């Protein structure tokens, strides 16, 4: 069972960022999951380490990009979430 849905991502990031997050899906590498987070490198003109923290049912995004303040969902952290949802073997 997945930790969240695409609707959860849209609610947290907004429709525009959800759609922008679809673009870099084919440029994700080095994905891994630990007990608290989903992490991956998302390539978008340069590589960004993007994360989704998932503790006790709360989701928080974080990314190295200028829009990726802790707790927010930029398109890169959304891309990590969509990548996670896209296939059972992603992480």
């Amino acid at each position: 069972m997945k930790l969240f849905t695409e609707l959860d991502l849209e609610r947290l990031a907004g429709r525009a960022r959800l759609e922008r997050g679809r673009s870099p899906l084919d440029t994700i590498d080095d994905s891994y999951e630990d007990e608290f987070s989903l992490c991956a490198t998302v390539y978008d003109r340069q590589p960004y380490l993007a994360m989704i923290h998932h503790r006790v049912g709360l989701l928080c995004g974080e990314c190295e990009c200028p829009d990726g303040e802790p707790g927010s969902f930029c398109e890169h952290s959304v891309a990590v979430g969509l990548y996670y949802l896209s296939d059972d073997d992603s992480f």
Side-chain angles (χ1 to χ4, degrees), residues 50-51 59:
M51 297 174 246
L59 298 176

Side-chain angles (χ1 to χ4, degrees), residues 26-88:
D26 60 341
T27 58
I28 292 178
D29 197 11
D30 300 327
S31 63
Y32 66 93
E33 179 178 12
D34 64 26
E35 62 185 308
F36 301 111
S37 303
L38 305 168
C39 303
T41 301
V42 180
Y43 295 89
D44 179 16
R45 286 175 255 148
Q46 69 182 58
Y48 293 111
L49 178 62
M51 297 174 246
I52 294 181
H53 305 290
H54 56 82
R55 286 180 290 201
V56 193
L58 300 175
L59 298 176
C60 296
E62 185 177 351
C63 183
E64 295 177 330
C65 80
D67 292 332
E69 297 176 16
S72 68
F73 277 86
C74 68
E75 62 264 26
H76 307 112
S77 54
V78 168
V80 170
L82 292 172
Y83 185 69
Y84 165 77
L85 292 171
S86 70
D87 186 357
D88 288 335

